[in-house]
Amino acid sequence: MPALRSQSPAPARVFVQRFSATRRGARLARLLAALQLVEWGRPRGTDDHDAVTLVVAEFAANAVLHGRVPGRDFALLLRPDEERGSIRVEVSDTHPARPALLAPAAVADHGRGLVLVEALATRWGVRDRVGPGKTVWAELPWPELRPSAGNRGPRDGIRRSRHGI
C-alpha cells in the first residue's frame, strides 16, 4: 500500500534581510522591499506597493539617522498575512532610543515620517528585541489579490509613461 502524502501548507512568505546602517543601506532596503512586493504581485504604482515602500523607507531612514550604532546593521522584515489582510513591516536596530510621533514645525524639513506611517498603517509601534535595541513595526492593509481590486496598475489601472502617454 502506498504511503499517504500529506499536503504541506503553503510556505510562509517572508522577506528578511540585514543592511548596513548607512544611507546606501537604507536605500537598498527600500529598493529590495519594492522588488519583493512586485514579486508578491503588488506592482509599482499601486496603493499597496507605494504605502509599504514608503513605510520601509521611513523606518530604514530612521534606523540609519537615529538608530545607528557604529559597526552595527539594521534588519528589515516583511511578512504578509493573507488571512488577516495585512502586511507587517519591521525594522530592527541596536540603538535603545525609541521614536516618538511629534507634530513637525511648519517650516521644518524633517519630522513628518512617523506622521505618514500613522496615516498609512492600521497600527504601529515599538518593541524591545532580543539583544540591544528595538524593533519598530507597522501593519498595513494587504487586501486579497483580485484583478478587479485595483491591483493591476497605478491608481486608475492605466499604466502611463513619465510623459503621461
Side-chain angles (χ1 to χ4, degrees):
M1 181 170 171
L4 295 176
R5 291 186 192 178
S6 64
Q7 284 186 336
S8 61
R13 295 189 304 173
V14 178
F15 174 85
V16 180
Q17 182 69 47
R18 297 184 72 78
F19 299 94
S20 65
T22 63
R23 288 181 182 194
R24 183 173 287 175
R27 180 176 182 270
L28 185 58
R30 177 181 52 80
L31 292 172
L32 290 179
L35 211 70
Q36 184 63 59
L37 295 171
V38 170
E39 188 173 306
W40 285 340
R42 309 299 168 135
R44 293 182 196 288
T46 59
D47 290 341
D48 301 341
H49 182 281
D50 292 350
V52 173
T53 302
L54 187 100
V55 170
V56 168
E58 174 56 28
F59 285 173
N62 282 350
V64 169
L65 295 173
H66 308 294
R68 184 171 185 267
V69 173
R72 300 291 180 123
D73 296 340
F74 72 92
L76 168 66
L77 175 137
L78 300 174
R79 180 182 296 134
D81 186 339
E82 305 287 342
E83 290 179 14
R84 293 182 62 201
S86 66
I87 183 168
R88 188 170 180 98
V89 176
E90 294 184 2
V91 171
S92 300
D93 63 53
T94 55
H95 199 280
R98 292 177 173 259
L101 180 62
L102 304 171
V107 294
D109 61 353
H110 57 80
R112 291 174 179 78
L114 291 177
V115 174
L116 292 171
V117 171
E118 177 83 11
L120 294 170
T122 52
R123 354 182 271 147
W124 75 277
V126 184
R127 64 176 167 76
D128 291 331
R129 64 182 211 118
V130 176
K134 74 219 171 256
T135 297
V136 183
W137 59 269
E139 290 180 358
L140 289 90
W142 189 258
E144 183 180 337
L145 280 179
R146 287 173 289 182
S148 61
N151 283 312
R152 280 188 280 186
R155 315 286 185 273
D156 57 5
I158 301 170
R159 277 213 190 272
R160 293 187 174 88
S161 72
R162 190 181 333 187
H163 306 291
I165 300 172

